[in-house]
Structure formats: structure tokens, C-alpha cells
Amino acid sequence: MNVILCGKKGRMKMDKEIVLTYNRLKELEAELEYLKTEKRKEVSEKIKVARGFGDLSENAEYDEAKKEQGEVEVKIVNLEKMLKNAKVIDEDEIDTSKVAVGTKVKIYDMDFEEEVSYEIVGSTEASPDQNKISDESPLGRALIGAKPEEVVTVESPNGEYQVKILEISK
């Protein structure tokens, strides 16, 4: 499955499945609708106004508006491809006998001697501030498939550490 994500030079091809919760799917659909309807018109108006300033070869406003237009169009293409290739998690089918995308997990960090709760989400939903970690992060990868009471080793850039799974829920 092909998903296009924005990189330094615009579009970057990736062959991987994008896992989304239903809520994130709705957010992305709303963002796509906004970009196609309102943002396109807004940028088009900026270009129109900037053209009125005269010589396009030395017109910074025009250049900036055209750049913004390109960014909006790339984002639209990226969102369309992401939505087309997304796998939406059905909350009713989430198995809480093991850690998976869509589950909430309470762990005990054995190094820091503290309990922490996380929601395991797809990479597009990750938000460490909200304790939503990606299934592709070091901790997320280590937790996937683990069961309650199991101790897993996390291989992070800062070295290895262990956590114990205390509880898994929806």
C-alpha cells in the first residue's frame, strides 16, 4: 500500500499501512474538506491580490502565495492518499488481552519506579503530551503484543530499560 508523506522536497513515497482511530479519521476528513474548500480559495485570493502589485519577477507576496498554494496542494494529495489507504481500528474489535493499537495500557517503569498510562495509536495520532504514543516508537514497538504482568525490554536511543504491563483497556 502506498502512502505519500511530505518530506523536505515535497513528496516522499512510503509503503506502509496507516492505522487510524475513527476519531482521527474524522479529523483528517475535516482537514481535507477545509483545505479543498476554504484554504484553496484563501490562497487563490492572495495570489490574485499579489498579482496586482505588478512585476511578478520581483514580487515577494506573489512568490510566497504561490509557495503556499503548492504546500496546500501537496497536503491535499497526501491526505487523500492517507485516507484512501488507511486502516481504521474498530473499537469493538479491540482485544484487551494484549497491547495493540487502540488500547490503553498502564505500565510500571522499573527504572523510574512509577506507573504511567498510555494510549497506543498510529503514527499520525501520536501526541506524547497527551500520553498517546505511536506503535512505531521504541516504547510502542516493545509494548505491542505484550500481555498483563509481562515485563518487556524497551530499546531506546538512550539505552535499554524495562517496563511491566499492569493493565490493558479500551
Side-chain angles (χ1 to χ4, degrees), residues 120-151:
I120 309 298
V121 296
S123 60
T124 64
E125 287 182 75
S127 177
D129 307 4
Q130 299 174 347
N131 284 8
K132 292 182 175 187
I133 60 168
S134 166
D135 59 330
E136 297 174 13
S137 70
L139 178 57
R141 258 194 322 270
L143 292 173
I144 294 293
K147 297 178 178 179
E149 300 302 314
E150 195 173 325
V151 174

Side-chain angles (χ1 to χ4, degrees), residues 9-161:
K9 298 203 177 205
R11 293 164 31 132
M12 175 174 55
K13 191 172 184 176
M14 292 187 63
D15 292 326
K16 67 176 210 147
E17 186 172 68
I18 300 297
V19 180
L20 302 172
T21 61
Y22 180 76
N23 288 339
R24 182 65 176 150
L25 173 70
K26 289 299 166 198
E27 289 171 2
L28 292 174
E29 287 174 341
E31 181 180 2
L32 179 61
E33 183 64 22
Y34 165 76
L35 290 171
K36 286 178 143 183
T37 57
E38 296 176 39
K39 191 65 177 178
R40 268 184 176 160
K41 288 178 187 172
E42 178 186 313
V43 172
S44 179
E45 188 59 33
K46 284 181 184 179
I47 292 171
K48 190 177 182 184
V49 168
R51 277 191 179 139
F53 294 148
D55 185 6
L56 297 182
S57 66
E58 296 180 16
N59 188 329
E61 288 86 359
Y62 178 78
D63 291 342
E64 189 59 35
K66 288 298 281 182
K67 179 181 173 198
E68 185 178 1
Q69 181 184 44
E71 291 169 354
V72 167
E73 293 305 318
V74 166
K75 192 155 193 177
I76 287 170
V77 169
N78 292 345
L79 284 170
E80 285 175 337
K81 288 186 183 276
M82 186 184 299
L83 291 169
K84 179 182 175 192
N85 296 313
K87 176 186 175 196
V88 180
I89 300 166
D90 183 349
E91 194 172 310
D92 294 336
E93 294 178 9
I94 293 174
D95 176 9
T96 58
S97 68
K98 62 184 177 190
V99 178
V101 175
T103 59
K104 293 178 179 153
V105 59
K106 184 190 285 186
I107 62 171
Y108 178 74
D109 185 318
M110 299 170 104
D111 285 354
F112 289 104
E113 298 181 352
E114 66 180 356
E115 288 183 10
V116 187
S117 294
Y118 294 105
E119 182 176 356
I120 309 298
V121 296
S123 60
T124 64
E125 287 182 75
S127 177
D129 307 4
Q130 299 174 347
N131 284 8
K132 292 182 175 187
I133 60 168
S134 166
D135 59 330
E136 297 174 13
S137 70
L139 178 57
R141 258 194 322 270
L143 292 173
I144 294 293
K147 297 178 178 179
E149 300 302 314
E150 195 173 325
V151 174
V152 297
T153 300
V154 181
E155 295 179 23
S156 78
N158 297 330
E160 290 185 352
Y161 63 97

